[in-house]
Amino acid sequence: MSARGDWTVRVLDLDGAVDKAALMDRCAAALDLPRWFGRNWDALADALGDPGQLPEEAAERGLLLVVTGWREYARREPGQWEIAQEIFEQAGAVRVALALGPL
């Protein structure tokens, strides 16, 4: 992964996301994933683990995904949030940071 100053930064805003479908839609938008992205946990894990599925500049420079607005989602969907965190932790092509306040 590139030096921190060279990373491509994307924001995944989960504010108002009420379910897994909303989380997947927001992941797809934040990461510019292809239309054929499956919007399920396996597809998300594959996308975050494969630089070839990410935007070109992210694959070249490294990608930092900053997750904002996640606390309400975590309270509303604790089981789904646990799965999301596991995928974020194992992401080989992306560094994921949880923002504790507004950006």
Side-chain angles (χ1 to χ4, degrees), residues 1-9 57 61-64:
M1 186 90 32
S2 301
R4 190 173 83 186
D6 294 339
W7 289 353
T8 296
V9 177
E57 75 276 4
R61 296 173 34 182
L63 178 67
L64 174 63

Side-chain angles (χ1 to χ4, degrees), residues 84-102:
Q85 286 183 95
E86 289 173 14
I87 290 170
F88 292 157
E89 289 172 9
Q90 296 171 8
V94 176
R95 298 281 176 130
V96 180
L98 302 180
L100 298 178

Side-chain angles (χ1 to χ4, degrees), residues 15-61:
D15 188 37
V18 296
D19 57 17
K20 176 183 167 188
L23 181 140
M24 292 294 167
D25 288 344
R26 293 185 187 197
C27 286
L31 296 167
D32 291 329
L33 295 175
R35 289 182 161 220
W36 48 262
F37 169 64
R39 288 177 167 71
N40 59 60
W41 295 122
D42 288 336
L44 182 61
D46 289 345
L48 297 180
D50 179 2
Q53 292 192 45
L54 299 173
E56 189 173 318
E57 75 276 4
E60 293 172 1
R61 296 173 34 182

